[in-house]
Amino acid sequence: MGFKSFCFKKSLWVFHFGGASCNNCDIEILDCLTPRYDLERFGILLVGSIRHADVLLVNGSINMRDRDRLIEIYNQAPKPILVVAIGACGCTGGIFAEGNTFAGPVDKIIPVDAYIPGCPPKPEAIIAGLVKLVNSSNPFKRDK
Amino acid sequence: MAVNLFYFLVFPGLLFSAVVGALLSWFDRKITARVQFRKGPPLLQPFYDFFKLLLVKETILPKQGSPVVFLLAPVFAVFGATTAAVLILLPLLNISSGFRGDLIVIFYLLTIPSFSYVIGSLASGNPLAAVGGSREMKLILSYESTFLLVIAGVIIKASQYFDLNSIITIQHNSRPFIESVSGVILFIVAIFCIQAKLGLVPFDMAEAETEITEGTFIEYSGAPYALIKLTKYIMLFILPAFLTALLLNGFVLKGIGILWAALKILGIVLLLTLIRNTNPRLKIKQAVSFFLVWMNLLAILAIVLAYFGY
Ligand code: SF4
């Protein structure tokens, strides 16, 4: 826990990747930034470019077309990057798991650091998940 | 030599203006949060952001385009902003050095950061960055002439003295320039120019994060982006400071004057923040006509009024 990882944990910038979601999870994610929940308290910002991101939020079921995009986005991100799978779709496939275009839950495609289940997860659950991720012993061990 | 390096690197240059600027940027974010009934980030948030980008994140170079220019552009931006900070703050803080604060030099130095952003964005080879770069260029072309007119107005009010030192002394000896009709008009025009120079909301079409995903800065990551953030912090401090020197009587750094100096800067930043929170983003066409027609007309009106002594 040096100075570096302290700064990293205090300033997580989030990039939001929406797969083939039913749009409920997207709305709940945006909810976290509204006055009621205000993630900026923890230094969390939503950024528009993957080059600035520290956290990649993935929600929705990933289908065959999304998969290549997701891998591309993941490779374009500057390391260390944390990946959070949001919603039943992101974690396991949820109601789309049997679909014939379904390309596997997120962790079959890219490494995932945290899962936030729920359909959709409440903003409280998303915040709890992010806080747990931040407090976990070494959030960027994968790159060491 | 050593004292010049000290001026440049520590006080009132890089370190001082960056720290003050970072605190002002926290103030800006906090006010924004309060306007939206949120709680807002902690005090040291700008420092966390800066050190995270500088120390932790990986720097990715563009495959197309020119990596050297891409990396050099933020360095130029920081140097331009720091030099401008030194040259503005030395007269303003009443530190006597050889330089008396020539306005034209300061004017040119203040344009360097925006030009570096354009160069960096065009060197990245990203089409969205090119869109952002071209917008930034058009924006520079439109607001710089207005800014020059504001400076011309101030020069006329200061009975044709060209340097910051005399302008501040004249205001100390009579009264601040803002206490006149032309002064108020110049102040209004200057506020909009600063808003555009800082790329804050009505004029943030070059970044436009919801539309062209941060435009000019889209390819920057890690340390170069940290330098861009640093430039932004410095600019957020020195542009209000410059305006204070031009129209608001400068600083009187003794006793209660220190509080006044801080309040002047905070007041201007508050004004900028409130403008940015109550306006939507303009299209580049609207911004160009806003400056080239309306703001120029206002500035010329102020110059004419100043010429006749109002
Ligand atoms: S997890 Fe539920 S709410 Fe979220 S995208 Fe999937 S189906 Fe929609």
PDB file of all heavy atoms in Angstrom, chain A residues 10-11 13 35 38 40-41 43 48-49 51-54 76 78-80, chain B residues 29 36 38-40 45 49 52 57-58 60 213-214 217-221:
ATOM      1  N   LYS A  10      -7.849   6.551  -4.739  1.00  0.00           N
ATOM      2  CA  LYS A  10      -8.596   7.771  -4.450  1.00  0.00           C
ATOM      3  C   LYS A  10      -9.163   8.411  -5.705  1.00  0.00           C
ATOM      4  O   LYS A  10      -9.927   9.364  -5.619  1.00  0.00           O
ATOM      5  CB  LYS A  10      -7.668   8.782  -3.759  1.00  0.00           C
ATOM      6  CG  LYS A  10      -7.468   8.500  -2.304  1.00  0.00           C
ATOM      7  CD  LYS A  10      -8.733   8.820  -1.576  1.00  0.00           C
ATOM      8  CE  LYS A  10      -8.512   8.916  -0.086  1.00  0.00           C
ATOM      9  NZ  LYS A  10      -9.758   9.240   0.591  1.00  0.00           N
ATOM     10  N   SER A  11      -8.737   7.963  -6.852  1.00  0.00           N
ATOM     11  CA  SER A  11      -9.170   8.645  -8.064  1.00  0.00           C
ATOM     12  C   SER A  11      -9.441   7.630  -9.163  1.00  0.00           C
ATOM     13  O   SER A  11      -8.646   7.444 -10.065  1.00  0.00           O
ATOM     14  CB  SER A  11      -8.088   9.655  -8.442  1.00  0.00           C
ATOM     15  OG  SER A  11      -7.952   9.770  -9.797  1.00  0.00           O
ATOM     16  N   TRP A  13     -11.312   6.587 -12.359  1.00  0.00           N
ATOM     17  CA  TRP A  13     -12.115   7.114 -13.444  1.00  0.00           C
ATOM     18  C   TRP A  13     -12.729   5.942 -14.195  1.00  0.00           C
ATOM     19  O   TRP A  13     -12.051   4.989 -14.539  1.00  0.00           O
ATOM     20  CB  TRP A  13     -11.266   7.976 -14.376  1.00  0.00           C
ATOM     21  CG  TRP A  13     -10.829   9.244 -13.731  1.00  0.00           C
ATOM     22  CD1 TRP A  13     -11.191   9.692 -12.494  1.00  0.00           C
ATOM     23  CD2 TRP A  13      -9.943  10.217 -14.255  1.00  0.00           C
ATOM     24  NE1 TRP A  13     -10.590  10.894 -12.242  1.00  0.00           N
ATOM     25  CE2 TRP A  13      -9.820  11.247 -13.295  1.00  0.00           C
ATOM     26  CE3 TRP A  13      -9.238  10.347 -15.456  1.00  0.00           C
ATOM     27  CZ2 TRP A  13      -9.031  12.366 -13.497  1.00  0.00           C
ATOM     28  CZ3 TRP A  13      -8.455  11.455 -15.650  1.00  0.00           C
ATOM     29  CH2 TRP A  13      -8.354  12.463 -14.688  1.00  0.00           C
ATOM     30  N   PRO A  35     -27.316  13.315  -7.768  1.00  0.00           N
ATOM     31  CA  PRO A  35     -27.147  13.910  -6.441  1.00  0.00           C
ATOM     32  C   PRO A  35     -27.384  12.946  -5.296  1.00  0.00           C
ATOM     33  O   PRO A  35     -26.728  13.005  -4.272  1.00  0.00           O
ATOM     34  CB  PRO A  35     -28.190  15.018  -6.437  1.00  0.00           C
ATOM     35  CG  PRO A  35     -28.362  15.389  -7.829  1.00  0.00           C
ATOM     36  CD  PRO A  35     -28.124  14.163  -8.639  1.00  0.00           C
ATOM     37  N   ASP A  38     -24.077  10.251  -5.711  1.00  0.00           N
ATOM     38  CA  ASP A  38     -22.864  11.055  -5.881  1.00  0.00           C
ATOM     39  C   ASP A  38     -21.555  10.311  -5.674  1.00  0.00           C
ATOM     40  O   ASP A  38     -20.910  10.393  -4.641  1.00  0.00           O
ATOM     41  CB  ASP A  38     -22.900  12.264  -4.949  1.00  0.00           C
ATOM     42  CG  ASP A  38     -21.733  13.187  -5.256  1.00  0.00           C
ATOM     43  OD1 ASP A  38     -21.248  13.128  -6.387  1.00  0.00           O
ATOM     44  OD2 ASP A  38     -21.342  13.952  -4.370  1.00  0.00           O
ATOM     45  N   GLU A  40     -18.820  11.036  -6.973  1.00  0.00           N
ATOM     46  CA  GLU A  40     -17.646  11.916  -7.011  1.00  0.00           C
ATOM     47  C   GLU A  40     -17.088  12.131  -5.611  1.00  0.00           C
ATOM     48  O   GLU A  40     -15.949  12.539  -5.452  1.00  0.00           O
ATOM     49  CB  GLU A  40     -18.003  13.252  -7.667  1.00  0.00           C
ATOM     50  CG  GLU A  40     -16.782  13.918  -8.285  1.00  0.00           C
ATOM     51  CD  GLU A  40     -17.044  15.313  -8.799  1.00  0.00           C
ATOM     52  OE1 GLU A  40     -18.187  15.772  -8.739  1.00  0.00           O
ATOM     53  OE2 GLU A  40     -16.082  15.946  -9.242  1.00  0.00           O
ATOM     54  N   ARG A  41     -17.883  11.839  -4.581  1.00  0.00           N
ATOM     55  CA  ARG A  41     -17.369  11.875  -3.208  1.00  0.00           C
ATOM     56  C   ARG A  41     -16.120  11.043  -3.066  1.00  0.00           C
ATOM     57  O   ARG A  41     -15.230  11.358  -2.290  1.00  0.00           O
ATOM     58  CB  ARG A  41     -18.412  11.289  -2.265  1.00  0.00           C
ATOM     59  CG  ARG A  41     -19.576  12.138  -1.988  1.00  0.00           C
ATOM     60  CD  ARG A  41     -20.500  11.440  -1.059  1.00  0.00           C
ATOM     61  NE  ARG A  41     -21.193  10.321  -1.698  1.00  0.00           N
ATOM     62  CZ  ARG A  41     -21.713   9.303  -1.032  1.00  0.00           C
ATOM     63  NH1 ARG A  41     -21.602   9.264   0.272  1.00  0.00           N
ATOM     64  NH2 ARG A  41     -22.334   8.348  -1.659  1.00  0.00           N
ATOM     65  N   GLY A  43     -14.101  10.379  -5.508  1.00  0.00           N
ATOM     66  CA  GLY A  43     -13.177  10.686  -6.600  1.00  0.00           C
ATOM     67  C   GLY A  43     -13.485   9.915  -7.861  1.00  0.00           C
ATOM     68  O   GLY A  43     -12.678   9.875  -8.775  1.00  0.00           O
ATOM     69  N   GLY A  48     -15.002   9.883 -20.888  1.00  0.00           N
ATOM     70  CA  GLY A  48     -15.520   9.551 -22.210  1.00  0.00           C
ATOM     71  C   GLY A  48     -14.555   8.726 -23.040  1.00  0.00           C
ATOM     72  O   GLY A  48     -14.948   8.144 -24.036  1.00  0.00           O
ATOM     73  N   SER A  49     -13.278   8.693 -22.658  1.00  0.00           N
ATOM     74  CA  SER A  49     -12.308   7.992 -23.492  1.00  0.00           C
ATOM     75  C   SER A  49     -11.659   6.883 -22.688  1.00  0.00           C
ATOM     76  O   SER A  49     -11.299   7.078 -21.529  1.00  0.00           O
ATOM     77  CB  SER A  49     -11.248   8.982 -23.964  1.00  0.00           C
ATOM     78  OG  SER A  49     -10.085   8.296 -24.352  1.00  0.00           O
ATOM     79  N   ARG A  51      -8.821   5.750 -22.868  1.00  0.00           N
ATOM     80  CA  ARG A  51      -7.434   6.075 -22.517  1.00  0.00           C
ATOM     81  C   ARG A  51      -7.318   6.724 -21.141  1.00  0.00           C
ATOM     82  O   ARG A  51      -6.246   6.761 -20.571  1.00  0.00           O
ATOM     83  CB  ARG A  51      -6.852   7.041 -23.539  1.00  0.00           C
ATOM     84  CG  ARG A  51      -6.756   6.489 -24.910  1.00  0.00           C
ATOM     85  CD  ARG A  51      -5.541   5.622 -25.056  1.00  0.00           C
ATOM     86  NE  ARG A  51      -5.212   5.463 -26.461  1.00  0.00           N
ATOM     87  CZ  ARG A  51      -5.043   4.316 -27.053  1.00  0.00           C
ATOM     88  NH1 ARG A  51      -5.185   3.196 -26.381  1.00  0.00           N
ATOM     89  NH2 ARG A  51      -4.725   4.266 -28.313  1.00  0.00           N
ATOM     90  N   HIS A  52      -8.413   7.300 -20.636  1.00  0.00           N
ATOM     91  CA  HIS A  52      -8.339   7.956 -19.337  1.00  0.00           C
ATOM     92  C   HIS A  52      -8.861   7.061 -18.226  1.00  0.00           C
ATOM     93  O   HIS A  52      -8.873   7.466 -17.073  1.00  0.00           O
ATOM     94  CB  HIS A  52      -9.160   9.248 -19.341  1.00  0.00           C
ATOM     95  CG  HIS A  52      -8.815  10.176 -20.449  1.00  0.00           C
ATOM     96  ND1 HIS A  52      -9.588  11.245 -20.796  1.00  0.00           N
ATOM     97  CD2 HIS A  52      -7.769  10.197 -21.286  1.00  0.00           C
ATOM     98  CE1 HIS A  52      -9.035  11.879 -21.800  1.00  0.00           C
ATOM     99  NE2 HIS A  52      -7.935  11.255 -22.129  1.00  0.00           N
ATOM    100  N   ALA A  53      -9.307   5.866 -18.570  1.00  0.00           N
ATOM    101  CA  ALA A  53     -10.075   5.089 -17.605  1.00  0.00           C
ATOM    102  C   ALA A  53      -9.179   4.279 -16.670  1.00  0.00           C
ATOM    103  O   ALA A  53      -8.084   3.862 -17.035  1.00  0.00           O
ATOM    104  CB  ALA A  53     -11.012   4.151 -18.338  1.00  0.00           C
ATOM    105  N   ASP A  54      -9.672   4.084 -15.451  1.00  0.00           N
ATOM    106  CA  ASP A  54      -9.024   3.173 -14.512  1.00  0.00           C
ATOM    107  C   ASP A  54      -9.899   1.958 -14.248  1.00  0.00           C
ATOM    108  O   ASP A  54      -9.428   0.936 -13.803  1.00  0.00           O
ATOM    109  CB  ASP A  54      -8.777   3.872 -13.167  1.00  0.00           C
ATOM    110  CG  ASP A  54      -8.040   5.156 -13.352  1.00  0.00           C
ATOM    111  OD1 ASP A  54      -6.953   5.109 -13.917  1.00  0.00           O
ATOM    112  OD2 ASP A  54      -8.559   6.197 -12.946  1.00  0.00           O
ATOM    113  N   GLN A  76      -7.010  -1.480 -25.440  1.00  0.00           N
ATOM    114  CA  GLN A  76      -6.675  -0.065 -25.606  1.00  0.00           C
ATOM    115  C   GLN A  76      -6.525   0.659 -24.286  1.00  0.00           C
ATOM    116  O   GLN A  76      -6.031   1.776 -24.253  1.00  0.00           O
ATOM    117  CB  GLN A  76      -7.765   0.638 -26.422  1.00  0.00           C
ATOM    118  CG  GLN A  76      -7.675   0.361 -27.894  1.00  0.00           C
ATOM    119  CD  GLN A  76      -8.742   1.089 -28.651  1.00  0.00           C
ATOM    120  OE1 GLN A  76      -9.570   1.747 -28.072  1.00  0.00           O
ATOM    121  NE2 GLN A  76      -8.702   0.962 -29.956  1.00  0.00           N
ATOM    122  N   PRO A  78      -5.124   1.904 -20.796  1.00  0.00           N
ATOM    123  CA  PRO A  78      -3.815   1.948 -20.149  1.00  0.00           C
ATOM    124  C   PRO A  78      -3.850   1.133 -18.867  1.00  0.00           C
ATOM    125  O   PRO A  78      -4.791   1.228 -18.090  1.00  0.00           O
ATOM    126  CB  PRO A  78      -3.611   3.438 -19.860  1.00  0.00           C
ATOM    127  CG  PRO A  78      -4.972   4.011 -19.800  1.00  0.00           C
ATOM    128  CD  PRO A  78      -5.828   3.187 -20.699  1.00  0.00           C
ATOM    129  N   LYS A  79      -2.844   0.312 -18.648  1.00  0.00           N
ATOM    130  CA  LYS A  79      -2.807  -0.519 -17.450  1.00  0.00           C
ATOM    131  C   LYS A  79      -2.263   0.305 -16.280  1.00  0.00           C
ATOM    132  O   LYS A  79      -1.486   1.216 -16.519  1.00  0.00           O
ATOM    133  CB  LYS A  79      -1.940  -1.746 -17.710  1.00  0.00           C
ATOM    134  CG  LYS A  79      -2.306  -2.503 -18.970  1.00  0.00           C
ATOM    135  CD  LYS A  79      -3.650  -3.191 -18.834  1.00  0.00           C
ATOM    136  CE  LYS A  79      -4.122  -3.845 -20.121  1.00  0.00           C
ATOM    137  NZ  LYS A  79      -4.474  -2.976 -21.225  1.00  0.00           N
ATOM    138  N   PRO A  80      -2.589   0.055 -15.035  1.00  0.00           N
ATOM    139  CA  PRO A  80      -3.504  -0.979 -14.566  1.00  0.00           C
ATOM    140  C   PRO A  80      -4.957  -0.592 -14.771  1.00  0.00           C
ATOM    141  O   PRO A  80      -5.326   0.542 -14.555  1.00  0.00           O
ATOM    142  CB  PRO A  80      -3.185  -1.044 -13.076  1.00  0.00           C
ATOM    143  CG  PRO A  80      -2.721   0.316 -12.730  1.00  0.00           C
ATOM    144  CD  PRO A  80      -2.013   0.812 -13.934  1.00  0.00           C
TER     145      PRO A  80
ATOM    146  N   ARG B  29     -14.796  22.246  -8.775  1.00  0.00           N
ATOM    147  CA  ARG B  29     -15.581  21.003  -8.760  1.00  0.00           C
ATOM    148  C   ARG B  29     -16.554  20.973  -7.591  1.00  0.00           C
ATOM    149  O   ARG B  29     -17.669  20.450  -7.703  1.00  0.00           O
ATOM    150  CB  ARG B  29     -14.637  19.798  -8.692  1.00  0.00           C
ATOM    151  CG  ARG B  29     -14.035  19.478 -10.033  1.00  0.00           C
ATOM    152  CD  ARG B  29     -12.975  18.433  -9.942  1.00  0.00           C
ATOM    153  NE  ARG B  29     -13.499  17.115  -9.641  1.00  0.00           N
ATOM    154  CZ  ARG B  29     -12.753  16.034  -9.608  1.00  0.00           C
ATOM    155  NH1 ARG B  29     -11.467  16.111  -9.863  1.00  0.00           N
ATOM    156  NH2 ARG B  29     -13.281  14.871  -9.324  1.00  0.00           N
ATOM    157  N   GLN B  36     -25.343  21.282  -8.083  1.00  0.00           N
ATOM    158  CA  GLN B  36     -26.198  20.139  -8.438  1.00  0.00           C
ATOM    159  C   GLN B  36     -26.677  19.387  -7.203  1.00  0.00           C
ATOM    160  O   GLN B  36     -27.078  18.229  -7.297  1.00  0.00           O
ATOM    161  CB  GLN B  36     -25.414  19.185  -9.334  1.00  0.00           C
ATOM    162  CG  GLN B  36     -24.971  19.838 -10.623  1.00  0.00           C
ATOM    163  CD  GLN B  36     -23.936  19.027 -11.346  1.00  0.00           C
ATOM    164  OE1 GLN B  36     -23.413  18.055 -10.829  1.00  0.00           O
ATOM    165  NE2 GLN B  36     -23.637  19.437 -12.570  1.00  0.00           N
ATOM    166  N   ARG B  38     -24.981  18.017  -4.866  1.00  0.00           N
ATOM    167  CA  ARG B  38     -24.172  16.848  -4.526  1.00  0.00           C
ATOM    168  C   ARG B  38     -23.192  17.246  -3.444  1.00  0.00           C
ATOM    169  O   ARG B  38     -23.139  18.380  -3.021  1.00  0.00           O
ATOM    170  CB  ARG B  38     -23.410  16.355  -5.759  1.00  0.00           C
ATOM    171  CG  ARG B  38     -24.278  15.732  -6.781  1.00  0.00           C
ATOM    172  CD  ARG B  38     -23.459  15.095  -7.876  1.00  0.00           C
ATOM    173  NE  ARG B  38     -22.852  16.046  -8.766  1.00  0.00           N
ATOM    174  CZ  ARG B  38     -21.547  16.152  -8.965  1.00  0.00           C
ATOM    175  NH1 ARG B  38     -20.724  15.372  -8.307  1.00  0.00           N
ATOM    176  NH2 ARG B  38     -21.065  17.032  -9.803  1.00  0.00           N
ATOM    177  N   LYS B  39     -22.402  16.271  -3.014  1.00  0.00           N
ATOM    178  CA  LYS B  39     -21.479  16.550  -1.931  1.00  0.00           C
ATOM    179  C   LYS B  39     -20.117  16.996  -2.449  1.00  0.00           C
ATOM    180  O   LYS B  39     -19.480  17.860  -1.873  1.00  0.00           O
ATOM    181  CB  LYS B  39     -21.317  15.291  -1.070  1.00  0.00           C
ATOM    182  CG  LYS B  39     -20.843  15.571   0.321  1.00  0.00           C
ATOM    183  CD  LYS B  39     -21.281  14.478   1.261  1.00  0.00           C
ATOM    184  CE  LYS B  39     -20.579  14.588   2.583  1.00  0.00           C
ATOM    185  NZ  LYS B  39     -19.206  14.121   2.558  1.00  0.00           N
ATOM    186  N   GLY B  40     -19.695  16.410  -3.555  1.00  0.00           N
ATOM    187  CA  GLY B  40     -18.457  16.867  -4.160  1.00  0.00           C
ATOM    188  C   GLY B  40     -17.226  16.149  -3.660  1.00  0.00           C
ATOM    189  O   GLY B  40     -17.259  15.453  -2.658  1.00  0.00           O
ATOM    190  N   GLN B  45      -8.496  16.058  -3.996  1.00  0.00           N
ATOM    191  CA  GLN B  45      -8.808  15.288  -5.190  1.00  0.00           C
ATOM    192  C   GLN B  45      -7.946  15.642  -6.411  1.00  0.00           C
ATOM    193  O   GLN B  45      -7.431  14.747  -7.078  1.00  0.00           O
ATOM    194  CB  GLN B  45     -10.297  15.447  -5.517  1.00  0.00           C
ATOM    195  CG  GLN B  45     -10.806  14.522  -6.587  1.00  0.00           C
ATOM    196  CD  GLN B  45     -10.618  13.086  -6.210  1.00  0.00           C
ATOM    197  OE1 GLN B  45     -10.931  12.687  -5.109  1.00  0.00           O
ATOM    198  NE2 GLN B  45     -10.063  12.299  -7.111  1.00  0.00           N
ATOM    199  N   ASP B  49      -5.675  12.936  -8.533  1.00  0.00           N
ATOM    200  CA  ASP B  49      -5.820  12.718  -9.972  1.00  0.00           C
ATOM    201  C   ASP B  49      -4.482  12.881 -10.672  1.00  0.00           C
ATOM    202  O   ASP B  49      -4.080  12.045 -11.488  1.00  0.00           O
ATOM    203  CB  ASP B  49      -6.808  13.734 -10.570  1.00  0.00           C
ATOM    204  CG  ASP B  49      -8.223  13.478 -10.129  1.00  0.00           C
ATOM    205  OD1 ASP B  49      -8.453  12.420  -9.532  1.00  0.00           O
ATOM    206  OD2 ASP B  49      -9.087  14.332 -10.375  1.00  0.00           O
ATOM    207  N   LYS B  52      -1.978  10.098  -9.708  1.00  0.00           N
ATOM    208  CA  LYS B  52      -2.373   8.822 -10.294  1.00  0.00           C
ATOM    209  C   LYS B  52      -1.969   8.768 -11.755  1.00  0.00           C
ATOM    210  O   LYS B  52      -1.339   7.805 -12.208  1.00  0.00           O
ATOM    211  CB  LYS B  52      -3.881   8.627 -10.166  1.00  0.00           C
ATOM    212  CG  LYS B  52      -4.360   7.398 -10.894  1.00  0.00           C
ATOM    213  CD  LYS B  52      -5.819   7.469 -11.225  1.00  0.00           C
ATOM    214  CE  LYS B  52      -6.048   8.449 -12.337  1.00  0.00           C
ATOM    215  NZ  LYS B  52      -7.438   8.548 -12.749  1.00  0.00           N
ATOM    216  N   LYS B  57      -0.418   5.299 -14.075  1.00  0.00           N
ATOM    217  CA  LYS B  57      -0.955   4.826 -15.351  1.00  0.00           C
ATOM    218  C   LYS B  57       0.115   4.692 -16.423  1.00  0.00           C
ATOM    219  O   LYS B  57       1.110   5.420 -16.443  1.00  0.00           O
ATOM    220  CB  LYS B  57      -2.030   5.801 -15.839  1.00  0.00           C
ATOM    221  CG  LYS B  57      -3.204   5.920 -14.918  1.00  0.00           C
ATOM    222  CD  LYS B  57      -3.922   4.612 -14.754  1.00  0.00           C
ATOM    223  CE  LYS B  57      -4.819   4.345 -15.945  1.00  0.00           C
ATOM    224  NZ  LYS B  57      -5.593   3.112 -15.684  1.00  0.00           N
ATOM    225  N   GLU B  58      -0.189   3.751 -17.311  1.00  0.00           N
ATOM    226  CA  GLU B  58       0.695   3.501 -18.432  1.00  0.00           C
ATOM    227  C   GLU B  58       0.501   4.598 -19.490  1.00  0.00           C
ATOM    228  O   GLU B  58      -0.598   5.125 -19.645  1.00  0.00           O
ATOM    229  CB  GLU B  58       0.285   2.138 -19.013  1.00  0.00           C
ATOM    230  CG  GLU B  58       1.038   1.665 -20.197  1.00  0.00           C
ATOM    231  CD  GLU B  58       0.329   0.459 -20.823  1.00  0.00           C
ATOM    232  OE1 GLU B  58      -0.817   0.160 -20.435  1.00  0.00           O
ATOM    233  OE2 GLU B  58       0.933  -0.156 -21.698  1.00  0.00           O
ATOM    234  N   ILE B  60       0.340   5.400 -23.344  1.00  0.00           N
ATOM    235  CA  ILE B  60       0.176   4.701 -24.608  1.00  0.00           C
ATOM    236  C   ILE B  60       0.485   5.664 -25.744  1.00  0.00           C
ATOM    237  O   ILE B  60      -0.033   6.781 -25.767  1.00  0.00           O
ATOM    238  CB  ILE B  60      -1.254   4.165 -24.746  1.00  0.00           C
ATOM    239  CG1 ILE B  60      -1.523   3.166 -23.629  1.00  0.00           C
ATOM    240  CG2 ILE B  60      -1.455   3.509 -26.089  1.00  0.00           C
ATOM    241  CD1 ILE B  60      -2.914   2.644 -23.626  1.00  0.00           C
ATOM    242  N   THR B 213     -15.998  12.413 -27.353  1.00  0.00           N
ATOM    243  CA  THR B 213     -15.238  11.735 -26.294  1.00  0.00           C
ATOM    244  C   THR B 213     -13.879  12.385 -26.014  1.00  0.00           C
ATOM    245  O   THR B 213     -12.854  11.817 -26.275  1.00  0.00           O
ATOM    246  CB  THR B 213     -15.023  10.249 -26.600  1.00  0.00           C
ATOM    247  OG1 THR B 213     -14.283  10.136 -27.793  1.00  0.00           O
ATOM    248  CG2 THR B 213     -16.315   9.523 -26.756  1.00  0.00           C
ATOM    249  N   GLU B 214     -13.942  13.582 -25.455  1.00  0.00           N
ATOM    250  CA  GLU B 214     -12.783  14.342 -25.015  1.00  0.00           C
ATOM    251  C   GLU B 214     -11.926  14.870 -26.158  1.00  0.00           C
ATOM    252  O   GLU B 214     -10.852  15.410 -25.922  1.00  0.00           O
ATOM    253  CB  GLU B 214     -11.891  13.555 -24.034  1.00  0.00           C
ATOM    254  CG  GLU B 214     -12.643  12.634 -23.126  1.00  0.00           C
ATOM    255  CD  GLU B 214     -12.648  13.053 -21.672  1.00  0.00           C
ATOM    256  OE1 GLU B 214     -11.851  13.912 -21.297  1.00  0.00           O
ATOM    257  OE2 GLU B 214     -13.484  12.527 -20.934  1.00  0.00           O
ATOM    258  N   PHE B 217      -8.050  15.541 -26.318  1.00  0.00           N
ATOM    259  CA  PHE B 217      -7.229  14.752 -25.401  1.00  0.00           C
ATOM    260  C   PHE B 217      -7.523  13.270 -25.481  1.00  0.00           C
ATOM    261  O   PHE B 217      -7.097  12.506 -24.634  1.00  0.00           O
ATOM    262  CB  PHE B 217      -7.462  15.217 -23.956  1.00  0.00           C
ATOM    263  CG  PHE B 217      -7.307  16.694 -23.802  1.00  0.00           C
ATOM    264  CD1 PHE B 217      -8.300  17.454 -23.227  1.00  0.00           C
ATOM    265  CD2 PHE B 217      -6.172  17.320 -24.265  1.00  0.00           C
ATOM    266  CE1 PHE B 217      -8.154  18.818 -23.103  1.00  0.00           C
ATOM    267  CE2 PHE B 217      -6.016  18.673 -24.150  1.00  0.00           C
ATOM    268  CZ  PHE B 217      -7.007  19.426 -23.564  1.00  0.00           C
ATOM    269  N   ILE B 218      -8.245  12.857 -26.509  1.00  0.00           N
ATOM    270  CA  ILE B 218      -8.772  11.480 -26.504  1.00  0.00           C
ATOM    271  C   ILE B 218      -7.666  10.444 -26.401  1.00  0.00           C
ATOM    272  O   ILE B 218      -7.809   9.437 -25.723  1.00  0.00           O
ATOM    273  CB  ILE B 218      -9.654  11.260 -27.749  1.00  0.00           C
ATOM    274  CG1 ILE B 218     -10.285   9.890 -27.719  1.00  0.00           C
ATOM    275  CG2 ILE B 218      -8.895  11.444 -29.028  1.00  0.00           C
ATOM    276  CD1 ILE B 218     -11.359   9.724 -28.762  1.00  0.00           C
ATOM    277  N   GLU B 219      -6.506  10.679 -27.031  1.00  0.00           N
ATOM    278  CA  GLU B 219      -5.471   9.645 -27.058  1.00  0.00           C
ATOM    279  C   GLU B 219      -4.509   9.747 -25.876  1.00  0.00           C
ATOM    280  O   GLU B 219      -3.657   8.900 -25.713  1.00  0.00           O
ATOM    281  CB  GLU B 219      -4.673   9.736 -28.355  1.00  0.00           C
ATOM    282  CG  GLU B 219      -5.427   9.223 -29.574  1.00  0.00           C
ATOM    283  CD  GLU B 219      -5.627   7.719 -29.526  1.00  0.00           C
ATOM    284  OE1 GLU B 219      -4.769   7.029 -28.957  1.00  0.00           O
ATOM    285  OE2 GLU B 219      -6.648   7.252 -30.044  1.00  0.00           O
ATOM    286  N   TYR B 220      -4.605  10.815 -25.084  1.00  0.00           N
ATOM    287  CA  TYR B 220      -3.619  10.985 -24.022  1.00  0.00           C
ATOM    288  C   TYR B 220      -3.928  10.081 -22.843  1.00  0.00           C
ATOM    289  O   TYR B 220      -5.073   9.951 -22.426  1.00  0.00           O
ATOM    290  CB  TYR B 220      -3.582  12.430 -23.559  1.00  0.00           C
ATOM    291  CG  TYR B 220      -2.781  13.298 -24.467  1.00  0.00           C
ATOM    292  CD1 TYR B 220      -3.402  14.159 -25.350  1.00  0.00           C
ATOM    293  CD2 TYR B 220      -1.409  13.235 -24.456  1.00  0.00           C
ATOM    294  CE1 TYR B 220      -2.663  14.950 -26.214  1.00  0.00           C
ATOM    295  CE2 TYR B 220      -0.656  14.009 -25.305  1.00  0.00           C
ATOM    296  CZ  TYR B 220      -1.289  14.873 -26.182  1.00  0.00           C
ATOM    297  OH  TYR B 220      -0.546  15.628 -27.025  1.00  0.00           O
ATOM    298  N   SER B 221      -2.887   9.455 -22.303  1.00  0.00           N
ATOM    299  CA  SER B 221      -3.071   8.669 -21.088  1.00  0.00           C
ATOM    300  C   SER B 221      -1.812   8.825 -20.260  1.00  0.00           C
ATOM    301  O   SER B 221      -0.775   9.257 -20.771  1.00  0.00           O
ATOM    302  CB  SER B 221      -3.302   7.202 -21.434  1.00  0.00           C
ATOM    303  OG  SER B 221      -2.158   6.703 -22.071  1.00  0.00           O
TER     304      SER B 221
END
